[in-house]
Structures are given as structure tokens and as C-alpha cells.
Amino acid sequence: MSVITSRPVLRWLVPVAAAATVIGGGAAIGTFAAEAEPALPPRTAAQLLVDLQTSQLEGLSGTVVQRADLGLPPIAGLAANSSDLAALVTGTHTLRVWYSGPERQRVALLDTLGERDLIHDGRDVWTWDSRTNTATHRTLDAETAKGIHEAPELPVTPQEAADRALAAVDESTAVSVGRAARVAGRDAYELVLEPRDQASLVHQLRIAIDAREHVPLRFEVFADGSDQPAFEVAFTQIDFRRPDADQFTFNPPPGVTVKACGFTLSADRS
């Protein structure tokens, strides 16, 4: 049984194993600022995999930075015409994430032009775009409301990326332990996945795993022949306390246009 199947929380949280399979070009990008290597008790790759499967995560909030240059202009062009988080395929992006169990999650994509939010609170799912001041609302059925596990086309957190990578691990992949690291001010082990196929365009996938909470803090993809990641996503700040409930309540701002159940409603509160 794969990690992605056995750990529903990882399906929401662990970024781009799918995109990694098509890396063949694109300039290398700068890595996140390195911190001194901590001294941690030794753990095997098998132990780290078990850590991921058995972690008990009740909540977290934090800031995630994603950097990518995959050399995929056609995909980037399609993403530019979409309001989805698939636009994360190129460049540098900053996101705020909140997680409070399977029924409450929130992701906010921040850029110089505004903010886009996806909020899941029980049976309610809201999306909001500050640039157009528009929002959409969807009510889930009771079964679906137990937890949203559908990931975006491109992952937005280290957890989501690691999940997709681990789901594909088989005898064609060598798994080992890399160097210890400091990520977002926290000690972390590094799990290294390396294709055995010499023709693979991917050299390595590296997952930094929090030494105490066993949650991926950073995910990196290295293309063959490069010592710099072609894709990386990492927490720059993280808090493992459960976020307040009001973080998952959407209050439409003045003048917002809300679309719900196929109808357009006015929510002018000025």
C-alpha cells in the first residue's frame, strides 16, 4: 500500500513528481537559503518512510515558496489563461497554507497583483480572486465533505509533491538517506529518490522531512547533469498548532460578485 493511499492527510499536504517526468530543459534556479546541517540520530530510508505513514498531523499553518523553471512554455501559456493554481508551473510563487484536519483547508496564492484563495470548510468550498473581486461557492454532498483529497494539477506544498513521488516508488527507484538539513528553522532528515534507469531525465528527488513531526518541509527535483534544482517547493515558515476556525470562514468583501449553483448573486455590502 502506498503512502498516498494510506495517509489521506498527505494527499492534501505532500509538489511535482508528475511534472518531474517531463523535465528535459529549462535553466536551473537558485536554491533556498541553506542553514547549518544539524546533528540528528541516524535513521534508515525504511524508517523515514514509516515516519511518513504514521505521522499524526492535527493542524498546521505556514508560508510556502515555490520556484520552477521547467522549460515548458506551452503549459505555461495554458496556465496563464486559467485562474487555477496550475499557473505555478513557472517562476517564483508565495503561498499561505492552513490545515485543520480533513474537513478544513485553505490555500492563498499571493502575487504582486492580488490574492487568490481556495477555502474548504466542511460542506462549503469557496474560491476568491481579489483582482476581479469575484467568488464562487459550492456545497458538497455529505460524503465528499468528509475530506477533499483531490490535488491540483500541480502540487502547492512539499507534502503534496512528496506524496506523488512516493506513490510511484517501486523496484525501479533507489531510495536512500541524504544529509540532514535545517528548513524553516526546523531540523529535517532528507530522503533521496533516484531512478535506476540511466536514460531518465530526472537525476534525483529530495524530500526534507521534519525530524519531529515527520511532515515534508521541502521537495526538490534535480534534472540529469545539474546540481541545482529545476523545481523546488519549501516551507519558509511553519507552525504545527491547529489554526483558528475563523481562518476557514469566508466573508465576502464589499462589492464582491458571488457565483453559486449556477446563479450570480450580488453581495454589495458597501
Side-chain angles (χ1 to χ4, degrees):
M1 179 179 294
S2 71
V3 175
I4 193 171
T5 301
S6 62
R7 298 292 294 147
V9 64
L10 300 187
R11 280 187 291 223
W12 183 80
L13 282 177
V14 171
V16 160
T21 61
V22 294
I23 293 177
I29 57 179
T31 58
F32 293 98
E35 299 183 43
E37 181 180 342
L40 293 174
R43 292 190 73 73
T44 66
Q47 287 174 318
L48 292 179
L49 289 171
V50 171
D51 287 343
L52 287 172
Q53 290 179 307
T54 58
S55 62
Q56 299 293 323
L57 181 64
E58 295 186 358
L60 68 73
S61 61
T63 301
V64 175
V65 174
Q66 183 201 81
R67 300 176 184 171
D69 189 350
L70 306 183
L72 303 173
I75 293 181
L78 289 175
N81 296 322
S82 172
S83 61
D84 296 335
L85 294 179
L88 299 175
V89 70
T90 59
T92 300
H93 305 274
T94 300
L95 303 100
R96 286 281 295 160
V97 298
W98 296 263
Y99 176 83
S100 183
E103 294 189 356
R104 285 178 171 168
Q105 305 97 29
R106 178 179 177 182
V107 178
L109 173 60
L110 312 175
D111 59 36
T112 57
L113 299 178
E115 177 179 336
R116 281 173 284 171
D117 283 42
L118 171 64
I119 304 170
H120 169 219
D121 183 11
R123 297 186 63 180
D124 295 310
V125 176
W126 288 92
T127 60
W128 177 63
D129 189 334
S130 70
R131 293 171 299 180
T132 59
N133 202 18
T134 57
T136 60
H137 175 247
R138 180 161 62 102
T139 301
L140 305 176
D141 59 53
E143 184 64 27
T144 306
K146 292 179 180 179
I148 294 180
H149 304 310
E150 297 177 0
E153 292 182 17
L154 291 178
V156 297
T157 68
Q159 183 75 63
E160 190 183 326
D163 230 10
R164 298 189 188 188
L166 293 173
V169 170
D170 57 23
E171 63 276 2
S172 67
T173 305
V175 183
S176 61
V177 178
R179 299 174 62 181
R182 289 278 292 177
V183 182
R186 298 184 63 87
D187 293 348
Y189 291 94
E190 186 177 65
L191 192 65
V192 180
L193 311 180
E194 190 168 358
R196 299 183 190 275
D197 185 355
Q198 297 299 313
S200 174
L201 299 178
V202 176
H203 173 54
Q204 285 183 343
L205 307 179
R206 298 181 187 176
I207 306 169
I209 304 168
D210 188 277
R212 292 187 60 186
E213 302 294 339
H214 311 311
V215 169
L217 300 175
R218 182 178 65 203
F219 181 89
E220 301 170 297
V221 178
F222 291 81
D224 188 40
S226 175
D227 60 357
Q228 297 293 323
F231 176 89
E232 58 184 336
V233 58
F235 280 101
T236 58
Q237 179 273 327
I238 191 167
D239 185 337
F240 286 102
R241 291 174 296 183
R242 185 185 289 270
D244 293 337
D246 58 8
Q247 289 287 356
F248 308 97
T249 300
F250 179 68
N251 296 308
V256 68
T257 298
V258 179
K259 297 180 180 179
C261 302
F263 296 96
T264 301
L265 307 177
S266 174
D268 190 348
R269 297 173 9 174
S270 57

